[in-house]
mmCIF file of all heavy atoms in Angstrom:
data_model
loop_
_atom_site.group_PDB
_atom_site.id
_atom_site.type_symbol
_atom_site.label_atom_id
_atom_site.label_comp_id
_atom_site.label_asym_id
_atom_site.label_seq_id
_atom_site.Cartn_x
_atom_site.Cartn_y
_atom_site.Cartn_z
ATOM 1 N N VAL A 31 -11.687 1.331 -2.633
ATOM 2 C CA VAL A 31 -11.025 1.867 -3.817
ATOM 3 C C VAL A 31 -10.786 0.719 -4.789
ATOM 4 O O VAL A 31 -10.290 -0.343 -4.391
ATOM 5 C CB VAL A 31 -9.693 2.537 -3.449
ATOM 6 C CG1 VAL A 31 -8.952 2.997 -4.692
ATOM 7 C CG2 VAL A 31 -9.935 3.713 -2.505
ATOM 8 N N SER A 32 -11.138 0.919 -6.032
ATOM 9 C CA SER A 32 -10.931 -0.124 -7.034
ATOM 10 C C SER A 32 -9.961 0.358 -8.094
ATOM 11 O O SER A 32 -9.790 1.568 -8.300
ATOM 12 C CB SER A 32 -12.257 -0.524 -7.687
ATOM 13 O OG SER A 32 -12.731 0.517 -8.520
ATOM 14 N N GLN A 33 -9.314 -0.594 -8.737
ATOM 15 C CA GLN A 33 -8.431 -0.287 -9.843
ATOM 16 C C GLN A 33 -8.773 -1.193 -11.009
ATOM 17 O O GLN A 33 -9.138 -2.356 -10.826
ATOM 18 C CB GLN A 33 -6.960 -0.495 -9.452
ATOM 19 C CG GLN A 33 -6.385 0.602 -8.612
ATOM 20 C CD GLN A 33 -4.910 0.413 -8.325
ATOM 21 O OE1 GLN A 33 -4.493 0.367 -7.169
ATOM 22 N NE2 GLN A 33 -4.100 0.331 -9.369
ATOM 23 N N HIS A 34 -8.596 -0.642 -12.201
ATOM 24 C CA HIS A 34 -8.866 -1.434 -13.392
ATOM 25 C C HIS A 34 -7.873 -1.046 -14.480
ATOM 26 O O HIS A 34 -7.655 0.153 -14.712
ATOM 27 C CB HIS A 34 -10.292 -1.195 -13.904
ATOM 28 C CG HIS A 34 -10.592 -1.940 -15.162
ATOM 29 N ND1 HIS A 34 -10.930 -3.278 -15.180
ATOM 30 C CD2 HIS A 34 -10.558 -1.555 -16.452
ATOM 31 C CE1 HIS A 34 -11.115 -3.662 -16.423
ATOM 32 N NE2 HIS A 34 -10.904 -2.636 -17.220
ATOM 33 N N PRO A 35 -7.230 -1.988 -15.158
ATOM 34 C CA PRO A 35 -7.360 -3.427 -14.939
ATOM 35 C C PRO A 35 -6.528 -3.899 -13.750
ATOM 36 O O PRO A 35 -5.723 -3.131 -13.223
ATOM 37 C CB PRO A 35 -6.820 -4.005 -16.243
ATOM 38 C CG PRO A 35 -5.795 -3.007 -16.674
ATOM 39 C CD PRO A 35 -6.321 -1.663 -16.263
ATOM 40 N N LYS A 47 -3.578 2.662 -19.925
ATOM 41 C CA LYS A 47 -4.291 3.513 -18.971
ATOM 42 C C LYS A 47 -4.789 2.670 -17.806
ATOM 43 O O LYS A 47 -5.398 1.612 -18.005
ATOM 44 C CB LYS A 47 -5.485 4.197 -19.629
ATOM 45 C CG LYS A 47 -6.278 5.098 -18.664
ATOM 46 C CD LYS A 47 -7.529 5.676 -19.298
ATOM 47 C CE LYS A 47 -7.211 6.782 -20.237
ATOM 48 N NZ LYS A 47 -8.441 7.476 -20.714
ATOM 49 N N ILE A 48 -4.544 3.153 -16.591
ATOM 50 C CA ILE A 48 -5.003 2.479 -15.374
ATOM 51 C C ILE A 48 -5.991 3.406 -14.665
ATOM 52 O O ILE A 48 -5.696 4.590 -14.471
ATOM 53 C CB ILE A 48 -3.820 2.164 -14.441
ATOM 54 C CG1 ILE A 48 -2.785 1.301 -15.160
ATOM 55 C CG2 ILE A 48 -4.311 1.466 -13.180
ATOM 56 C CD1 ILE A 48 -1.476 1.149 -14.391
ATOM 57 N N GLU A 49 -7.114 2.848 -14.297
ATOM 58 C CA GLU A 49 -8.138 3.645 -13.620
ATOM 59 C C GLU A 49 -8.156 3.359 -12.123
ATOM 60 O O GLU A 49 -7.975 2.222 -11.698
ATOM 61 C CB GLU A 49 -9.527 3.323 -14.179
ATOM 62 C CG GLU A 49 -9.750 3.768 -15.596
ATOM 63 C CD GLU A 49 -11.178 3.528 -16.051
ATOM 64 O OE1 GLU A 49 -11.920 2.819 -15.343
ATOM 65 O OE2 GLU A 49 -11.537 4.043 -17.121
ATOM 66 N N CYS A 50 -8.410 4.395 -11.354
ATOM 67 C CA CYS A 50 -8.551 4.276 -9.905
ATOM 68 C C CYS A 50 -9.860 4.953 -9.518
ATOM 69 O O CYS A 50 -10.070 6.124 -9.831
ATOM 70 C CB CYS A 50 -7.373 4.961 -9.220
ATOM 71 S SG CYS A 50 -7.473 4.979 -7.416
ATOM 72 N N ARG A 51 -10.731 4.201 -8.856
ATOM 73 C CA ARG A 51 -12.038 4.741 -8.475
ATOM 74 C C ARG A 51 -12.297 4.581 -6.986
ATOM 75 O O ARG A 51 -12.009 3.531 -6.396
ATOM 76 C CB ARG A 51 -13.160 4.023 -9.220
ATOM 77 C CG ARG A 51 -13.190 4.250 -10.704
ATOM 78 C CD ARG A 51 -14.356 3.538 -11.370
ATOM 79 N NE ARG A 51 -14.303 3.670 -12.819
ATOM 80 C CZ ARG A 51 -14.843 4.674 -13.494
ATOM 81 N NH1 ARG A 51 -15.492 5.617 -12.851
ATOM 82 N NH2 ARG A 51 -14.737 4.732 -14.798
ATOM 83 N N THR A 59 -8.330 13.939 -3.055
ATOM 84 C CA THR A 59 -6.929 13.698 -3.388
ATOM 85 C C THR A 59 -6.711 12.222 -3.672
ATOM 86 O O THR A 59 -7.206 11.372 -2.939
ATOM 87 C CB THR A 59 -6.001 14.125 -2.247
ATOM 88 O OG1 THR A 59 -6.282 15.481 -1.889
ATOM 89 C CG2 THR A 59 -4.536 14.012 -2.656
ATOM 90 N N MET A 60 -6.005 11.948 -4.755
ATOM 91 C CA MET A 60 -5.620 10.570 -5.053
ATOM 92 C C MET A 60 -4.120 10.509 -5.249
ATOM 93 O O MET A 60 -3.498 11.461 -5.722
ATOM 94 C CB MET A 60 -6.354 10.052 -6.297
ATOM 95 C CG MET A 60 -7.814 9.746 -6.032
ATOM 96 S SD MET A 60 -8.594 8.943 -7.442
ATOM 97 C CE MET A 60 -10.159 8.433 -6.727
ATOM 98 N N PHE A 61 -3.549 9.400 -4.842
ATOM 99 C CA PHE A 61 -2.111 9.204 -4.913
ATOM 100 C C PHE A 61 -1.809 8.005 -5.805
ATOM 101 O O PHE A 61 -2.541 7.013 -5.794
ATOM 102 C CB PHE A 61 -1.538 8.925 -3.516
ATOM 103 C CG PHE A 61 -1.862 9.970 -2.491
ATOM 104 C CD1 PHE A 61 -3.058 9.945 -1.794
ATOM 105 C CD2 PHE A 61 -0.958 10.989 -2.219
ATOM 106 C CE1 PHE A 61 -3.364 10.906 -0.842
ATOM 107 C CE2 PHE A 61 -1.251 11.951 -1.270
ATOM 108 C CZ PHE A 61 -2.456 11.919 -0.585
ATOM 109 N N TRP A 62 -0.735 8.117 -6.546
ATOM 110 C CA TRP A 62 -0.282 6.985 -7.359
ATOM 111 C C TRP A 62 1.087 6.557 -6.857
ATOM 112 O O TRP A 62 1.990 7.380 -6.698
ATOM 113 C CB TRP A 62 -0.211 7.365 -8.836
ATOM 114 C CG TRP A 62 -1.570 7.447 -9.459
ATOM 115 C CD1 TRP A 62 -2.330 8.557 -9.648
ATOM 116 C CD2 TRP A 62 -2.335 6.349 -9.969
ATOM 117 N NE1 TRP A 62 -3.525 8.229 -10.233
ATOM 118 C CE2 TRP A 62 -3.564 6.875 -10.446
ATOM 119 C CE3 TRP A 62 -2.123 4.967 -10.065
ATOM 120 C CZ2 TRP A 62 -4.554 6.080 -11.012
ATOM 121 C CZ3 TRP A 62 -3.106 4.182 -10.622
ATOM 122 C CH2 TRP A 62 -4.307 4.734 -11.086
ATOM 123 N N TYR A 63 1.195 5.242 -6.616
ATOM 124 C CA TYR A 63 2.426 4.668 -6.115
ATOM 125 C C TYR A 63 2.916 3.584 -7.085
ATOM 126 O O TYR A 63 2.142 2.968 -7.802
ATOM 127 C CB TYR A 63 2.212 3.995 -4.753
ATOM 128 C CG TYR A 63 1.801 4.894 -3.630
ATOM 129 C CD1 TYR A 63 0.460 5.184 -3.400
ATOM 130 C CD2 TYR A 63 2.754 5.441 -2.779
ATOM 131 C CE1 TYR A 63 0.078 5.991 -2.347
ATOM 132 C CE2 TYR A 63 2.381 6.243 -1.721
ATOM 133 C CZ TYR A 63 1.041 6.515 -1.513
ATOM 134 O OH TYR A 63 0.665 7.321 -0.466
ATOM 135 N N ARG A 64 4.199 3.340 -6.978
ATOM 136 C CA ARG A 64 4.775 2.218 -7.704
ATOM 137 C C ARG A 64 5.472 1.353 -6.660
ATOM 138 O O ARG A 64 6.165 1.872 -5.774
ATOM 139 C CB ARG A 64 5.784 2.740 -8.729
ATOM 140 C CG ARG A 64 6.396 1.672 -9.587
ATOM 141 C CD ARG A 64 7.207 2.308 -10.708
ATOM 142 N NE ARG A 64 7.892 1.291 -11.478
ATOM 143 C CZ ARG A 64 8.615 1.530 -12.569
ATOM 144 N NH1 ARG A 64 8.754 2.762 -13.000
ATOM 145 N NH2 ARG A 64 9.198 0.549 -13.207
ATOM 146 N N GLN A 65 5.242 0.072 -6.737
ATOM 147 C CA GLN A 65 5.862 -0.810 -5.762
ATOM 148 C C GLN A 65 6.900 -1.682 -6.439
ATOM 149 O O GLN A 65 6.596 -2.395 -7.398
ATOM 150 C CB GLN A 65 4.844 -1.709 -5.068
ATOM 151 C CG GLN A 65 5.478 -2.574 -3.979
ATOM 152 C CD GLN A 65 4.514 -3.519 -3.340
ATOM 153 O OE1 GLN A 65 3.683 -4.114 -4.007
ATOM 154 N NE2 GLN A 65 4.628 -3.679 -2.022
ATOM 155 N N LEU A 71 6.386 1.284 -0.999
ATOM 156 C CA LEU A 71 5.687 1.956 -2.089
ATOM 157 C C LEU A 71 6.409 3.266 -2.383
ATOM 158 O O LEU A 71 6.777 4.002 -1.475
ATOM 159 C CB LEU A 71 4.254 2.260 -1.685
ATOM 160 C CG LEU A 71 3.377 1.064 -1.345
ATOM 161 C CD1 LEU A 71 2.035 1.531 -0.828
ATOM 162 C CD2 LEU A 71 3.201 0.179 -2.565
ATOM 163 N N MET A 72 6.608 3.557 -3.652
ATOM 164 C CA MET A 72 7.227 4.813 -4.050
ATOM 165 C C MET A 72 6.141 5.744 -4.564
ATOM 166 O O MET A 72 5.447 5.418 -5.528
ATOM 167 C CB MET A 72 8.271 4.579 -5.146
ATOM 168 C CG MET A 72 8.979 5.859 -5.567
ATOM 169 S SD MET A 72 9.882 5.699 -7.118
ATOM 170 C CE MET A 72 8.559 5.900 -8.318
ATOM 171 N N LEU A 73 5.985 6.865 -3.911
ATOM 172 C CA LEU A 73 4.980 7.822 -4.352
ATOM 173 C C LEU A 73 5.418 8.429 -5.674
ATOM 174 O O LEU A 73 6.526 8.947 -5.795
ATOM 175 C CB LEU A 73 4.788 8.918 -3.302
ATOM 176 C CG LEU A 73 3.768 9.999 -3.651
ATOM 177 C CD1 LEU A 73 2.369 9.402 -3.763
ATOM 178 C CD2 LEU A 73 3.789 11.104 -2.602
ATOM 179 N N MET A 74 4.544 8.361 -6.649
ATOM 180 C CA MET A 74 4.853 8.924 -7.960
ATOM 181 C C MET A 74 4.287 10.340 -8.079
ATOM 182 O O MET A 74 4.959 11.253 -8.550
ATOM 183 C CB MET A 74 4.266 8.051 -9.066
ATOM 184 C CG MET A 74 4.799 6.640 -9.106
ATOM 185 S SD MET A 74 3.931 5.626 -10.303
ATOM 186 C CE MET A 74 4.405 6.412 -11.836
ATOM 187 N N ALA A 75 3.033 10.472 -7.682
ATOM 188 C CA ALA A 75 2.377 11.765 -7.864
ATOM 189 C C ALA A 75 1.141 11.860 -6.997
ATOM 190 O O ALA A 75 0.582 10.849 -6.565
ATOM 191 C CB ALA A 75 1.994 11.969 -9.329
ATOM 192 N N THR A 76 0.756 13.089 -6.751
ATOM 193 C CA THR A 76 -0.457 13.387 -5.985
ATOM 194 C C THR A 76 -1.368 14.189 -6.890
ATOM 195 O O THR A 76 -0.917 15.162 -7.525
ATOM 196 C CB THR A 76 -0.106 14.218 -4.744
ATOM 197 O OG1 THR A 76 0.833 13.491 -3.946
ATOM 198 C CG2 THR A 76 -1.360 14.514 -3.923
ATOM 199 N N SER A 77 -2.614 13.788 -6.959
ATOM 200 C CA SER A 77 -3.535 14.545 -7.810
ATOM 201 C C SER A 77 -4.746 15.009 -7.026
ATOM 202 O O SER A 77 -5.303 14.279 -6.217
ATOM 203 C CB SER A 77 -3.977 13.698 -9.005
ATOM 204 O OG SER A 77 -4.895 12.698 -8.623
ATOM 205 N N ALA A 83 -1.628 17.328 -11.591
ATOM 206 C CA ALA A 83 -0.993 16.484 -10.580
ATOM 207 C C ALA A 83 0.366 17.049 -10.183
ATOM 208 O O ALA A 83 1.034 17.734 -10.967
ATOM 209 C CB ALA A 83 -0.828 15.067 -11.125
ATOM 210 N N THR A 84 0.753 16.760 -8.969
ATOM 211 C CA THR A 84 2.081 17.126 -8.467
ATOM 212 C C THR A 84 2.946 15.879 -8.487
ATOM 213 O O THR A 84 2.639 14.901 -7.810
ATOM 214 C CB THR A 84 1.984 17.673 -7.033
ATOM 215 O OG1 THR A 84 1.115 18.797 -7.018
ATOM 216 C CG2 THR A 84 3.366 18.080 -6.538
ATOM 217 N N TYR A 85 4.026 15.938 -9.257
ATOM 218 C CA TYR A 85 4.872 14.765 -9.432
ATOM 219 C C TYR A 85 6.060 14.808 -8.468
ATOM 220 O O TYR A 85 6.612 15.872 -8.191
ATOM 221 C CB TYR A 85 5.391 14.698 -10.869
ATOM 222 C CG TYR A 85 4.315 14.336 -11.868
ATOM 223 C CD1 TYR A 85 3.432 15.300 -12.362
ATOM 224 C CD2 TYR A 85 4.175 13.031 -12.320
ATOM 225 C CE1 TYR A 85 2.438 14.963 -13.266
ATOM 226 C CE2 TYR A 85 3.194 12.680 -13.229
ATOM 227 C CZ TYR A 85 2.325 13.652 -13.697
ATOM 228 O OH TYR A 85 1.348 13.310 -14.590
ATOM 229 N N GLU A 86 6.453 13.640 -8.006
ATOM 230 C CA GLU A 86 7.634 13.538 -7.158
ATOM 231 C C GLU A 86 8.890 13.661 -8.029
ATOM 232 O O GLU A 86 8.866 13.410 -9.249
ATOM 233 C CB GLU A 86 7.640 12.209 -6.408
ATOM 234 C CG GLU A 86 6.483 12.077 -5.434
ATOM 235 C CD GLU A 86 6.484 13.126 -4.353
ATOM 236 O OE1 GLU A 86 7.496 13.205 -3.615
ATOM 237 O OE2 GLU A 86 5.487 13.867 -4.234
ATOM 238 N N VAL A 89 10.139 11.528 -11.343
ATOM 239 C CA VAL A 89 9.034 10.913 -12.083
ATOM 240 C C VAL A 89 8.714 11.782 -13.287
ATOM 241 O O VAL A 89 8.438 12.983 -13.138
ATOM 242 C CB VAL A 89 7.780 10.765 -11.187
ATOM 243 C CG1 VAL A 89 6.625 10.169 -11.988
ATOM 244 C CG2 VAL A 89 8.096 9.915 -9.972
ATOM 245 N N PHE A 94 4.200 9.571 -17.436
ATOM 246 C CA PHE A 94 3.139 9.079 -16.548
ATOM 247 C C PHE A 94 2.081 10.189 -16.432
ATOM 248 O O PHE A 94 2.181 11.072 -15.593
ATOM 249 C CB PHE A 94 3.695 8.711 -15.176
ATOM 250 C CG PHE A 94 4.708 7.593 -15.212
ATOM 251 C CD1 PHE A 94 6.072 7.877 -15.187
ATOM 252 C CD2 PHE A 94 4.296 6.269 -15.274
ATOM 253 C CE1 PHE A 94 7.007 6.847 -15.221
ATOM 254 C CE2 PHE A 94 5.221 5.234 -15.318
ATOM 255 C CZ PHE A 94 6.581 5.522 -15.295
ATOM 256 N N LEU A 95 1.093 10.118 -17.326
ATOM 257 C CA LEU A 95 0.061 11.145 -17.377
ATOM 258 C C LEU A 95 -1.038 10.827 -16.366
ATOM 259 O O LEU A 95 -1.585 9.741 -16.362
ATOM 260 C CB LEU A 95 -0.538 11.221 -18.787
ATOM 261 C CG LEU A 95 0.442 11.548 -19.917
ATOM 262 C CD1 LEU A 95 -0.280 11.537 -21.257
ATOM 263 C CD2 LEU A 95 1.131 12.875 -19.686
ATOM 264 N N ILE A 96 -1.329 11.797 -15.524
ATOM 265 C CA ILE A 96 -2.346 11.595 -14.501
ATOM 266 C C ILE A 96 -3.470 12.598 -14.695
ATOM 267 O O ILE A 96 -3.239 13.791 -14.871
ATOM 268 C CB ILE A 96 -1.738 11.734 -13.093
ATOM 269 C CG1 ILE A 96 -0.800 10.556 -12.834
ATOM 270 C CG2 ILE A 96 -2.830 11.793 -12.020
ATOM 271 C CD1 ILE A 96 0.003 10.661 -11.561
ATOM 272 N N ASN A 97 -4.685 12.079 -14.656
ATOM 273 C CA ASN A 97 -5.878 12.912 -14.796
ATOM 274 C C ASN A 97 -6.828 12.598 -13.660
ATOM 275 O O ASN A 97 -7.124 11.445 -13.388
ATOM 276 C CB ASN A 97 -6.554 12.619 -16.144
ATOM 277 C CG ASN A 97 -7.742 13.509 -16.365
ATOM 278 O OD1 ASN A 97 -8.833 13.255 -15.867
ATOM 279 N ND2 ASN A 97 -7.533 14.577 -17.097
ATOM 280 N N HIS A 98 -7.269 13.624 -12.976
ATOM 281 C CA HIS A 98 -8.213 13.452 -11.845
ATOM 282 C C HIS A 98 -9.451 14.259 -12.192
ATOM 283 O O HIS A 98 -9.655 15.360 -11.699
ATOM 284 C CB HIS A 98 -7.546 13.944 -10.559
ATOM 285 C CG HIS A 98 -8.280 13.552 -9.311
ATOM 286 N ND1 HIS A 98 -7.670 13.591 -8.071
ATOM 287 C CD2 HIS A 98 -9.526 13.114 -9.103
ATOM 288 C CE1 HIS A 98 -8.533 13.205 -7.162
ATOM 289 N NE2 HIS A 98 -9.665 12.907 -7.754
ATOM 290 N N LEU A 103 -12.703 9.474 -9.624
ATOM 291 C CA LEU A 103 -11.915 8.800 -10.657
ATOM 292 C C LEU A 103 -10.611 9.535 -10.933
ATOM 293 O O LEU A 103 -10.591 10.749 -11.144
ATOM 294 C CB LEU A 103 -12.718 8.702 -11.961
ATOM 295 C CG LEU A 103 -11.966 8.171 -13.186
ATOM 296 C CD1 LEU A 103 -11.558 6.711 -12.980
ATOM 297 C CD2 LEU A 103 -12.824 8.320 -14.439
ATOM 298 N N SER A 104 -9.522 8.769 -10.919
ATOM 299 C CA SER A 104 -8.235 9.266 -11.374
ATOM 300 C C SER A 104 -7.657 8.214 -12.319
ATOM 301 O O SER A 104 -7.876 7.016 -12.120
ATOM 302 C CB SER A 104 -7.288 9.490 -10.190
ATOM 303 O OG SER A 104 -6.008 9.904 -10.644
ATOM 304 N N THR A 105 -6.956 8.668 -13.335
ATOM 305 C CA THR A 105 -6.340 7.725 -14.269
ATOM 306 C C THR A 105 -4.849 8.003 -14.384
ATOM 307 O O THR A 105 -4.401 9.155 -14.302
ATOM 308 C CB THR A 105 -6.972 7.800 -15.671
ATOM 309 O OG1 THR A 105 -6.807 9.123 -16.180
ATOM 310 C CG2 THR A 105 -8.444 7.455 -15.631
ATOM 311 N N LEU A 106 -4.108 6.921 -14.550
ATOM 312 C CA LEU A 106 -2.672 6.985 -14.796
ATOM 313 C C LEU A 106 -2.434 6.352 -16.159
ATOM 314 O O LEU A 106 -2.813 5.198 -16.375
ATOM 315 C CB LEU A 106 -1.913 6.218 -13.720
ATOM 316 C CG LEU A 106 -0.429 5.926 -13.996
ATOM 317 C CD1 LEU A 106 0.384 7.218 -13.985
ATOM 318 C CD2 LEU A 106 0.137 4.947 -12.969
ATOM 319 N N THR A 107 -1.844 7.100 -17.072
ATOM 320 C CA THR A 107 -1.517 6.562 -18.386
ATOM 321 C C THR A 107 -0.008 6.480 -18.513
ATOM 322 O O THR A 107 0.679 7.498 -18.393
ATOM 323 C CB THR A 107 -2.091 7.443 -19.517
ATOM 324 O OG1 THR A 107 -3.519 7.530 -19.367
ATOM 325 C CG2 THR A 107 -1.770 6.850 -20.882
ATOM 326 N N VAL A 108 0.466 5.269 -18.734
ATOM 327 C CA VAL A 108 1.894 5.056 -18.982
ATOM 328 C C VAL A 108 2.094 5.137 -20.485
ATOM 329 O O VAL A 108 1.589 4.291 -21.235
ATOM 330 C CB VAL A 108 2.354 3.689 -18.439
ATOM 331 C CG1 VAL A 108 3.853 3.507 -18.643
ATOM 332 C CG2 VAL A 108 1.996 3.555 -16.960
ATOM 333 N N PHE A 118 4.226 -2.882 -10.283
ATOM 334 C CA PHE A 118 2.934 -2.944 -9.614
ATOM 335 C C PHE A 118 2.551 -1.507 -9.272
ATOM 336 O O PHE A 118 3.283 -0.834 -8.548
ATOM 337 C CB PHE A 118 3.087 -3.794 -8.354
ATOM 338 C CG PHE A 118 1.802 -4.320 -7.785
ATOM 339 C CD1 PHE A 118 0.880 -4.976 -8.585
ATOM 340 C CD2 PHE A 118 1.535 -4.181 -6.432
ATOM 341 C CE1 PHE A 118 -0.299 -5.467 -8.045
ATOM 342 C CE2 PHE A 118 0.362 -4.681 -5.891
ATOM 343 C CZ PHE A 118 -0.559 -5.328 -6.691
ATOM 344 N N TYR A 119 1.468 -1.030 -9.839
ATOM 345 C CA TYR A 119 1.046 0.348 -9.618
ATOM 346 C C TYR A 119 -0.170 0.347 -8.693
ATOM 347 O O TYR A 119 -1.159 -0.338 -8.949
ATOM 348 C CB TYR A 119 0.720 1.037 -10.941
ATOM 349 C CG TYR A 119 1.941 1.228 -11.819
ATOM 350 C CD1 TYR A 119 2.351 0.236 -12.708
ATOM 351 C CD2 TYR A 119 2.712 2.387 -11.725
ATOM 352 C CE1 TYR A 119 3.482 0.391 -13.479
ATOM 353 C CE2 TYR A 119 3.842 2.555 -12.497
ATOM 354 C CZ TYR A 119 4.219 1.553 -13.381
ATOM 355 O OH TYR A 119 5.350 1.723 -14.140
ATOM 356 N N ILE A 120 -0.084 1.125 -7.639
ATOM 357 C CA ILE A 120 -1.143 1.165 -6.633
ATOM 358 C C ILE A 120 -1.628 2.597 -6.461
ATOM 359 O O ILE A 120 -0.820 3.518 -6.411
ATOM 360 C CB ILE A 120 -0.634 0.649 -5.269
ATOM 361 C CG1 ILE A 120 -0.110 -0.786 -5.396
ATOM 362 C CG2 ILE A 120 -1.724 0.713 -4.200
ATOM 363 C CD1 ILE A 120 0.608 -1.280 -4.158
ATOM 364 N N CYS A 121 -2.924 2.763 -6.394
ATOM 365 C CA CYS A 121 -3.461 4.094 -6.125
ATOM 366 C C CYS A 121 -4.081 4.105 -4.735
ATOM 367 O O CYS A 121 -4.414 3.059 -4.168
ATOM 368 C CB CYS A 121 -4.492 4.509 -7.156
ATOM 369 S SG CYS A 121 -6.090 3.700 -6.971
ATOM 370 N N SER A 122 -4.185 5.269 -4.184
ATOM 371 C CA SER A 122 -4.914 5.433 -2.928
ATOM 372 C C SER A 122 -5.720 6.718 -3.022
ATOM 373 O O SER A 122 -5.425 7.592 -3.834
ATOM 374 C CB SER A 122 -3.979 5.468 -1.721
ATOM 375 O OG SER A 122 -3.235 6.659 -1.716
ATOM 376 N N ALA A 123 -6.728 6.791 -2.204
ATOM 377 C CA ALA A 123 -7.611 7.948 -2.227
ATOM 378 C C ALA A 123 -7.813 8.473 -0.824
ATOM 379 O O ALA A 123 -7.875 7.705 0.142
ATOM 380 C CB ALA A 123 -8.954 7.567 -2.846
ATOM 381 N N GLN A 132 -5.515 7.326 4.027
ATOM 382 C CA GLN A 132 -5.570 6.947 2.629
ATOM 383 C C GLN A 132 -6.127 5.546 2.523
ATOM 384 O O GLN A 132 -5.784 4.667 3.301
ATOM 385 C CB GLN A 132 -4.178 6.982 2.006
ATOM 386 C CG GLN A 132 -3.534 8.357 1.959
ATOM 387 C CD GLN A 132 -2.169 8.300 1.324
ATOM 388 O OE1 GLN A 132 -1.939 7.577 0.363
ATOM 389 N NE2 GLN A 132 -1.247 9.062 1.868
ATOM 390 N N PHE A 134 -6.354 2.320 0.103
ATOM 391 C CA PHE A 134 -5.557 1.808 -1.004
ATOM 392 C C PHE A 134 -6.347 0.904 -1.929
ATOM 393 O O PHE A 134 -7.221 0.140 -1.492
ATOM 394 C CB PHE A 134 -4.349 1.035 -0.450
ATOM 395 C CG PHE A 134 -3.318 1.924 0.168
ATOM 396 C CD1 PHE A 134 -3.412 2.303 1.491
ATOM 397 C CD2 PHE A 134 -2.262 2.400 -0.593
ATOM 398 C CE1 PHE A 134 -2.467 3.139 2.066
ATOM 399 C CE2 PHE A 134 -1.308 3.237 -0.022
ATOM 400 C CZ PHE A 134 -1.414 3.606 1.303
ATOM 401 N N GLY A 135 -6.020 0.991 -3.211
ATOM 402 C CA GLY A 135 -6.585 0.078 -4.190
ATOM 403 C C GLY A 135 -5.811 -1.227 -4.205
ATOM 404 O O GLY A 135 -4.757 -1.339 -3.585
ATOM 405 N N GLY A 137 -4.203 -2.572 -6.638
ATOM 406 C CA GLY A 137 -3.009 -2.578 -7.475
ATOM 407 C C GLY A 137 -3.257 -3.073 -8.888
ATOM 408 O O GLY A 137 -4.216 -3.797 -9.155
ATOM 409 N N THR A 138 -2.391 -2.654 -9.777
ATOM 410 C CA THR A 138 -2.416 -3.093 -11.175
ATOM 411 C C THR A 138 -1.015 -3.563 -11.545
ATOM 412 O O THR A 138 -0.055 -2.805 -11.401
ATOM 413 C CB THR A 138 -2.823 -1.948 -12.126
ATOM 414 O OG1 THR A 138 -4.161 -1.539 -11.825
ATOM 415 C CG2 THR A 138 -2.732 -2.386 -13.577
ATOM 416 N N ALA B 56 3.760 8.664 2.692
ATOM 417 C CA ALA B 56 3.549 7.376 2.035
ATOM 418 C C ALA B 56 3.926 6.247 2.989
ATOM 419 O O ALA B 56 4.786 6.417 3.855
ATOM 420 C CB ALA B 56 4.389 7.291 0.767
#
Side-chain angles (χ1 to χ4, degrees):
Chain A
V31 175
S32 70
Q33 283 184 237
H34 177 80
K47 180 185 284 188
I48 302 170
E49 292 185 348
C50 176
R51 293 182 185 272
T59 307
M60 286 187 169
F61 305 84
W62 285 97
Y63 296 87
R64 183 171 175 176
Q65 184 183 41
L71 299 174
M72 182 195 81
L73 179 64
M74 299 173 66
T76 302
S77 74
T84 302
Y85 289 82
E86 296 299 302
V89 178
F94 298 99
L95 301 178
I96 291 172
N97 183 278
H98 192 163
L103 173 65
S104 177
T105 60
L106 167 68
T107 301
V108 183
F118 198 50
Y119 293 88
I120 302 171
C121 75
S122 70
Q132 296 180 39
F134 289 87
T138 297

